[in-house]
Amino acid sequence: MPPHSSLSRRSVLAGATAAAAGTLGMTATSPAAAANTGHETAERGTGRTIVLVHGAFADASSWQPVTERLQRHGHEVVAVPNPLRCLAHDAAHLAARLAALPGPIVLAGHSYGGAVITRAAATAPHVKAPVYISAFMPDAGEVLGELAGRFPGSQLEPALTAVPTPAPDGTPGLDLYIRPDRYHDVFAQDAPRSVTRVLAAGQRPLTATAFTDRCTAAVWHTLPTWTLVSTRDRGIAPELQRFQARRAGSRTTEVPTSHLPMYSRPDAVTSLIRAATRTL
């Protein structure tokens, strides 16, 4: 990771703006997504593992409503910690965790966590079904900050605050947070304020240089994917989410929700993950 001194504050915040990050009225845009309904019986002993990866400004507890629903249906669920230190490090950390889990694996990533699963799953043979929730899906060779800049619509940059902090290698670094007074409106405007106040208080920072890392591999070239597009997202532009899903040939569901559908539309997120699980 390069020291933050080589980056302008504007470029750092611009890169972080669209990437940060990590069911009613749901519209299915593929037969696989449409097949989610009418199959809500428990699925005990399936032999599959569902791994959930959180995004920026959050931790594994951001998946709690979805984790509870998946477990009620009998699924084995692991919500892993994402270090949020840079794409290369975070992907390597996830790949090591995946190697220790039984397969086949359904791997879901939210927000920045989508970029992490894209790179990590390329070297994880147990992963059979990547699922993207309001997420980044970079291609090999792409930089997240540049990818984010292709489409307008994110409202995150003005809500960010930067805190100087040591990078993992000891050089000067920069951690990004969402200001607590802006967290609800920018990150999860359709979730209860009582919930977003707690999430804002416990948010984990993302290192600013996460968005200067270049993605070196993209699993969606070799595996079928599932994508939930949040059409009212103020963190990652909905048009960027649609563009990524189209080029990946993803089975796509659009939901009128914010950047945090795990809380505002947990049933939609759960249904999409279960749809991916049924294909294994």
Side-chain angles (χ1 to χ4, degrees), residues 71-98:
Q71 288 177 337
R72 284 201 298 267
H73 286 291
H75 295 289
E76 186 69 27
V77 182
V78 180
V80 301
N82 185 358
L84 307 180
R85 293 299 85 192
C86 74
L87 182 56
H89 173 80
D90 298 343
H93 186 275
L94 175 59
R97 185 72 179 98
L98 293 172

Side-chain angles (χ1 to χ4, degrees), residues 172-196:
L174 197 66
D175 274 356
L176 301 176
Y177 295 83
I178 302 176
R179 295 202 326 264
D181 63 320
R182 296 293 296 145
Y183 192 99
H184 175 85
D185 291 340
V186 170
F187 209 63
Q189 72 271 17
D190 52 356
R193 287 187 180 272
S194 59
V195 170
T196 56

Side-chain angles (χ1 to χ4, degrees), residues 84-239:
L84 307 180
R85 293 299 85 192
C86 74
L87 182 56
H89 173 80
D90 298 343
H93 186 275
L94 175 59
R97 185 72 179 98
L98 293 172
L101 295 172
I105 291 173
V106 175
L107 180 61
H110 172 245
S111 189
Y112 166 72
V116 177
I117 72 169
T118 295
R119 179 164 171 171
T123 58
H126 287 339
V127 174
K128 303 300 181 184
V131 182
Y132 294 86
I133 308 297
S134 315
F136 270 110
M137 301 173 65
D139 200 354
E142 289 182 337
V143 175
L144 291 190
E146 297 172 359
L147 178 61
R150 296 186 188 182
F151 297 88
S154 175
Q155 301 178 24
L156 186 61
E157 181 177 355
L160 292 177
T161 184
V163 177
T165 186
D169 62 0
T171 60
L174 197 66
D175 274 356
L176 301 176
Y177 295 83
I178 302 176
R179 295 202 326 264
D181 63 320
R182 296 293 296 145
Y183 192 99
H184 175 85
D185 291 340
V186 170
F187 209 63
Q189 72 271 17
D190 52 356
R193 287 187 180 272
S194 59
V195 170
T196 56
R197 281 196 297 269
V198 173
L199 294 175
Q203 64 178 293
R204 294 184 58 238
L206 176 73
T207 183
T209 51
F211 302 107
T212 64
D213 253 2
R214 193 171 300 277
C215 188
T216 58
V219 72
W220 48 262
H221 283 292
T222 57
L223 289 179
T225 62
W226 286 256
T227 297
L228 185 145
V229 172
S230 295
T231 64
R232 298 174 183 170
D233 200 321
R234 298 174 182 174
I236 297 178
E239 283 305 314

